[in-house]
Amino acid sequence: MDDGSTIRHPKLVWLAGGIGALALLVTGLSVVPQILDRDPCSRALPFASELGLQLSSDDEVVSCHWHTSFPDSSGTVTVRTASHTTREALLRRSGVSEEIYRWAVSVNDGPSLEEVHRPNLKRSEQVYLTTAPNGRQLRISYDEKVESGLLLAVSALET
């Protein structure tokens, strides 16, 4: 008489155990580096630099955050510049440009005209971007209302 307490398919037990072990391994690969590496700047700064961020001795790193996710990770670095001149120099060195949207418009099947939308002209937050061919993006933004625009949020994103 079979009371259901015996396992009839040991292969299913091994398969379930293997899936569980694989799930633990994937979780461990994303969590262990965060536990061992207590300084998020050690990951966020090199990643932002790889995407173009070029700091000078006039720039001060205030804080860093690293966000590990599968398959994409991102880092955020907060930088304080000494003046508006040093901020503009950092933007130039880093190769970012103003966020601009362009599209073609045609009225009544007439010739196409290009329209340009520059959101920085309509908001206090100023956003500058550069996108690498592999889709990674460096985004530098600041708000003139926060520390006179000298505190920059630098985001390095895998997309």
Side-chain angles (χ1 to χ4, degrees), residues 4 7 19 30 56 80 82 110 118 121 124 130 137 140 148-149:
I7 299 173
I19 291 172
S30 65
S56 74
R80 182 175 288 116
R118 296 176 62 193
L121 296 176
S124 64
T130 185
Q137 185 179 78
I140 301 176
S148 301

Side-chain angles (χ1 to χ4, degrees), residues 108-124:
N108 296 329
D109 293 325
S112 293
L113 300 173
E114 182 181 61
E115 286 195 10
V116 178
H117 179 64
R118 296 176 62 193
N120 283 355
L121 296 176
K122 298 178 182 179
R123 61 184 181 205
S124 64

Side-chain angles (χ1 to χ4, degrees), residues 6-22:
T6 59
I7 299 173
R8 292 184 181 198
H9 302 286
K11 289 182 182 179
L12 289 177
V13 172
W14 281 103
L15 180 63
I19 291 172
L22 182 61

Side-chain angles (χ1 to χ4, degrees), residues 81-155:
T81 58
S83 67
H84 290 103
T85 303
T86 57
R87 179 190 67 207
E88 296 305 317
L90 182 146
L91 294 171
R92 270 193 314 279
R93 282 191 315 272
S94 299
V96 293
S97 58
E98 179 182 4
E99 179 181 35
I100 296 177
Y101 301 106
R102 299 175 187 269
W103 59 88
V105 176
S106 175
V107 178
N108 296 329
D109 293 325
S112 293
L113 300 173
E114 182 181 61
E115 286 195 10
V116 178
H117 179 64
R118 296 176 62 193
N120 283 355
L121 296 176
K122 298 178 182 179
R123 61 184 181 205
S124 64
E125 181 190 29
Q126 303 296 293
V127 178
Y128 295 83
L129 305 165
T130 185
T131 303
N134 60 7
R136 292 177 171 178
Q137 185 179 78
L138 181 69
R139 179 183 191 272
I140 301 176
S141 63
Y142 64 90
D143 192 329
E144 286 289 347
K145 296 177 183 176
V146 178
E147 293 193 29
S148 301
L150 301 180
L151 193 64
L152 308 177
V154 180
S155 299

Side-chain angles (χ1 to χ4, degrees), residues 10-88:
K11 289 182 182 179
L12 289 177
V13 172
W14 281 103
L15 180 63
I19 291 172
L22 182 61
L24 285 173
L25 177 65
V26 169
T27 302
L29 288 175
S30 65
V31 172
V32 169
Q34 290 179 15
I35 293 169
L36 296 177
D37 186 12
R38 301 243 184 244
D39 181 17
C41 285
S42 67
R43 297 189 77 184
L45 270 173
F47 186 50
S49 296
E50 180 183 314
L51 297 180
L53 177 66
Q54 292 185 23
L55 299 175
S56 74
S57 59
D58 294 327
D59 304 318
E60 174 193 357
V61 174
V62 176
S63 66
C64 300
H65 299 283
W66 182 254
H67 313 282
T68 301
S69 62
F70 183 78
D72 303 328
S73 297
S74 64
T76 304
V77 180
T78 303
V79 176
R80 182 175 288 116
T81 58
S83 67
H84 290 103
T85 303
T86 57
R87 179 190 67 207
E88 296 305 317

